Amino acid sequence: EQLHNGYLGIRKKMVRQLFAKYANRIIAISKVNAHTLHVEGTEVIYNSVDFSVFNKQLDAAACKQQYQLTGDFIFSFIGGSVLSKGADMLVDAFLQVWQQHRDSQLVIAGHFNTDPTKPMNRIEKKVHEVCDAHPALKTAIRFTGPLPQVATLLAASDVLLWPATTPHFARPIM
């Protein structure tokens, strides 16, 4: 995973020190992730894709039924409310598409707090504000929560979107 700064960069510094002191070998999933570590001897080995799991022949009907995906065009995003993944910008853009094509739906997979009575991060707040300003939009957006397996969601989707606001290795795109 990408090593983020945390508060004041303390997390990143601590992790780097632990890696440098105790690790014999560091394997990163991308050059960007390796670069953020700044630990000597870090090697990049890219994630592989198991094509017996991710294939075009998957039956997406159960996924469509589970998340009530009845639209003619399904957009999907995997990343939840992680700040660097851009769900807030995505919902703004989807609103514009949806206003022209009411038969579209957007699926947001991953952790995403939709309960305004619980603390929200700025991405969740922004999405909540957009949906409050356009109540009918709520019928077009589906939140799945964390998914143990995303293959059927990808099979049910017409387009996978990746609006990341920070460059990093995009496993959902893989």
Side-chain angles (χ1 to χ4, degrees):
E1 290 295 327
Q2 178 122 357
L3 183 58
H4 296 282
N5 283 333
Y7 295 106
L8 307 172
I10 296 170
R11 176 188 329 152
K12 187 183 276 188
K13 183 177 180 179
M14 286 174 49
V15 170
R16 281 185 188 147
Q17 288 174 344
L18 289 170
F19 282 170
K21 186 173 182 177
Y22 297 109
N24 295 328
R25 190 172 194 190
I26 305 294
I27 298 173
I29 63 170
S30 74
K31 289 179 182 177
V32 170
N33 288 5
H35 179 72
T36 63
L37 292 174
H38 296 290
V39 176
E40 192 71 31
T42 299
E43 185 177 339
V44 175
I45 299 177
Y46 294 100
N47 283 356
S48 60
V49 176
D50 183 346
F51 289 107
S52 67
V53 175
F54 292 90
N55 68 70
K56 293 182 180 185
Q57 307 311 315
L58 286 175
D59 182 8
C63 181
K64 286 184 176 187
Q65 182 178 7
Q66 180 178 0
Y67 298 110
Q68 300 171 4
L69 301 177
T70 57
D72 289 339
F73 208 78
I74 308 299
F75 295 94
S76 290
F77 164 71
I78 302 169
S81 64
V82 174
L83 298 177
S84 63
K85 296 191 179 179
D88 53 340
M89 294 181 359
L90 172 61
V91 169
D92 281 339
F94 178 72
L95 172 61
Q96 294 176 35
V97 170
W98 180 77
Q99 287 173 329
Q100 301 285 322
H101 304 280
R102 296 288 174 127
D103 56 346
S104 307
Q105 287 181 290
L106 172 63
V107 179
I108 297 178
H111 174 75
F112 206 102
N113 177 20
T114 58
D115 182 351
T117 65
K118 295 182 179 173
M120 295 181 154
N121 69 26
R122 70 176 170 81
I123 302 296
E124 294 161 340
K125 286 177 186 174
K126 171 70 174 169
V127 169
H128 185 72
E129 289 168 6
V130 171
C131 288
D132 278 353
H134 305 276
L137 180 65
K138 292 178 185 178
T139 64
I141 299 177
R142 302 289 186 266
F143 297 92
T144 68
L147 296 176
Q149 180 54 263
V150 298
T152 55
L153 173 60
L154 294 176
S157 304
D158 295 299
V159 175
L160 175 64
L161 301 167
W162 187 249
T165 58
T166 303
H168 59 284
F169 189 71
R171 284 180 288 158
I173 301 303
M174 285 280 299

